[in-house]
């Protein structure tokens, strides 16, 4: 965990009160804390830094760290590393989705937050146009790998071909990325451990449908997004899933009730001020689709249409 980041973290357990955390460093390497502890002076909760990775989750989200399936599994790591970096190691079937999303970033001086960053590609892209970038995710396996990439400035991993058969893939990284501006931490999109108005850029890409309460995610983004000179990039395939959230909580994909109709239309209305979720509202400057791919094995692919929308505050 970078020292500049430790100065900005607040206690996710004490939200909506914003209580800065106290840092005790046990081992550091230049500006990177490798072993240590953050403590909340109010609730006394402790957040460990181990091997450079800090976990700033509220107590109720801690079980996600123990999950060996889903986003912590080796298969997912292979899938997302392919998805994020296949254009760099010149896979003939590479997706250019991350370059498309990144082409919309604006040069705004300030902190950027990449929510659900996975293995970090958008955070790396954000480092071109922001002074500090923080990628957060609840998958400790993704965050460990993202930090490894950040340190090594190159990629090496075992791509799954079939079952336990793998092949190595590698690539050096784009010289335009500013590695010292970036850090990755384990944190929850529904309890962002940052103070009000900290960020000039926020991205929420392909995560909304994975959250138990999508509207609370947007409310928390509004809290941390600057009231002026800021942008929010949102993108999602809106593949609502009842095992993740109750249809009453969905922001689209239904014919009755609050937020009926299509998800992307709901998001556009919310950007424009509906229900004061975004206050001040966001001016919509782009709205389109991004064709995105996840590669599970050589023979199994997901082709996804992610609908994106960009909101700005002047
Ligand atoms: C569909 S993936 C998208 C990843 C990345 N944004 C991308 O587009 O490549 C969803 C990501 O959200 C993360 N995630 C799920 N629930 C989360 C939560 N409550 N807080 C933070 N991250 C979460 C997952 O671990 C995963 O990395």
């Amino acid at each position: 965990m970078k020292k500049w980041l430790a100065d900005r973290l607040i206690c996710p357990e004490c939200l909506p009160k914003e209580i800065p955390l106290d840092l005790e460093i046990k081992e550091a390497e230049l500006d990177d804390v490798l072993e240590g502890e953050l403590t909340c002076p109010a609730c006394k909760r402790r957040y460990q830094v181990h091997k450079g990775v800090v976990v700033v989750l509220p107590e109720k989200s801690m079980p996600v760290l123990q999950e060996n399936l889903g986003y912590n599994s080796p298969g997912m790591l292979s899938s997302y590393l392919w998805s994020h970096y296949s254009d760099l190691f010149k896979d003939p079937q590479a997706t250019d989705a991350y370059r498309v999303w990144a082409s919309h970033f604006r040069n705004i001086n300030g902190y950027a937050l990449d929510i659900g960053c996975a293995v970090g590609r958008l955070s790396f892209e954000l480092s071109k146009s922001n002074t500090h970038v923080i990628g957060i995710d609840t998958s400790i396996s993704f965050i460990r790998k993202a930090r490894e990439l950040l340190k090594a400035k190159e990629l090496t991993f075992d791509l799954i071909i079939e079952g336990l058969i793998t092949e190595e893939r590698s690539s050096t990284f784009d010289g335009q990325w500013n590695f010292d501006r970036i850090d990755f931490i384990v944190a929850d999109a529904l309890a962002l451990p940052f103070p009000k108005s900290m960020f000039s850029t926020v991205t929420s890409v392909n995560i909304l449908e994975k959250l138990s309460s999508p509207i609370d995610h947007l409310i928390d983004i509004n809290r941390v997004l600057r009231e002026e000179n800021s942008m929010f990039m949102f993108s999602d395939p809106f593949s609502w899933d009842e095992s993740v959230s109750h249809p009453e909580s969905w922001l689209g994909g239904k014919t009755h009730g609050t937020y009926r109709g299509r998800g992307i239309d709901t998001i556009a209305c919310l950007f424009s001020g509906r229900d004061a979720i975004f206050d001040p509202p966001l001016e919509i400057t782009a709205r389109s689709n991004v064709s995105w791919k996840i590669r599970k094995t050589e023979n199994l692919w997901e082709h996804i249409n992610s609908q994106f929308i960009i909101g700005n505050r002047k």
Side-chain angles (χ1 to χ4, degrees), residues 7-268:
D7 293 342
R8 309 305 302 260
L9 290 171
I10 63 163
C11 179
E13 202 68 58
C14 289
L15 283 168
K17 276 191 232 147
E18 299 193 346
I19 315 279
L21 297 172
D22 298 331
L23 172 65
E24 186 198 341
I25 300 176
K26 294 181 181 147
E27 189 188 337
E29 200 177 86
L30 301 173
D31 70 335
D32 205 18
V33 181
L34 300 181
E35 299 291 330
E37 201 168 72
L38 291 157
T39 309
C40 173
C43 74
K44 308 294 179 208
R45 193 140 181 261
R46 291 163 176 206
Y47 302 93
Q48 304 297 326
V49 189
H50 182 50
K51 295 186 177 170
V53 174
V54 68
V55 175
V56 201
L57 292 174
E59 192 66 50
K60 67 172 188 323
S61 307
M62 290 297 281
V64 73
L65 295 179
Q66 311 308 329
E67 288 171 9
N68 294 322
L69 300 171
Y71 291 112
N72 280 327
S73 67
M76 277 292 193
L77 192 58
S78 164
S79 293
Y80 273 85
L81 286 166
W82 185 91
S83 195
H84 282 209
Y85 302 108
S86 52
D87 57 332
L88 300 186
F89 55 82
K90 306 211 180 330
D91 188 300
Q93 315 210 57
T95 170
D96 68 347
Y98 298 89
R99 283 185 195 270
V100 176
W101 282 308
S103 69
H104 291 272
F105 293 149
R106 277 203 292 142
N107 226 328
I108 314 177
N109 258 354
Y111 283 75
L113 176 64
D114 178 12
I115 305 176
C117 64
V119 288
R121 176 62 183 266
L122 274 190
S123 300
F124 287 118
E125 295 291 346
L126 281 163
S127 75
K128 291 181 187 169
S129 50
N130 294 269
T131 57
H132 296 82
V133 182
I134 306 166
I136 70 160
D137 204 285
T138 44
S139 163
I140 194 158
S141 147
F142 283 172
I143 293 298
R144 279 189 189 125
K145 189 68 188 182
R147 273 191 50 94
E148 192 186 305
L149 301 178
L150 185 60
K151 276 196 149 180
K153 302 182 179 57
E154 62 182 26
L155 167 75
T156 305
F157 76 106
D158 294 326
L159 179 70
I160 293 181
I161 304 299
E162 175 188 325
L164 299 177
I165 303 171
T166 60
E167 274 177 14
E168 192 179 286
R169 291 288 183 276
S170 60
S171 169
T172 49
F173 274 172
D174 190 329
Q176 291 179 324
W177 295 342
N178 294 299
F179 297 96
D180 55 343
R181 298 179 174 187
I182 311 169
D183 204 0
F184 296 103
I185 67 170
V186 178
D188 190 337
L190 295 174
L192 298 173
F194 308 105
K196 181 175 164 47
S197 307
M198 175 168 162
F199 294 99
S200 47
T201 303
V202 175
T203 67
S204 167
V205 173
N206 304 320
I207 176 171
L208 187 82
E209 64 189 36
K210 308 292 177 201
L211 300 172
S212 56
S213 179
I215 197 76
D216 286 334
H217 174 51
L218 301 180
I219 289 169
D220 218 21
I221 288 170
N222 178 62
R223 179 180 65 83
V224 299
L225 187 66
R226 245 166 35 186
E227 288 179 10
E228 44 190 46
N229 195 20
S230 55
M231 74 166 280
F232 173 36
M233 173 185 284
F234 173 88
S235 197
D236 205 69
F238 299 104
S239 47
W240 303 109
D241 181 347
E242 284 184 66
S243 68
V244 175
S245 55
H246 192 279
E248 271 174 22
S249 308
W250 296 354
L251 301 182
K254 51 193 181 176
T255 50
H256 296 92
T258 320
Y259 303 130
R260 64 184 168 276
R262 302 299 298 266
I264 194 67
D265 297 328
T266 303
I267 300 292

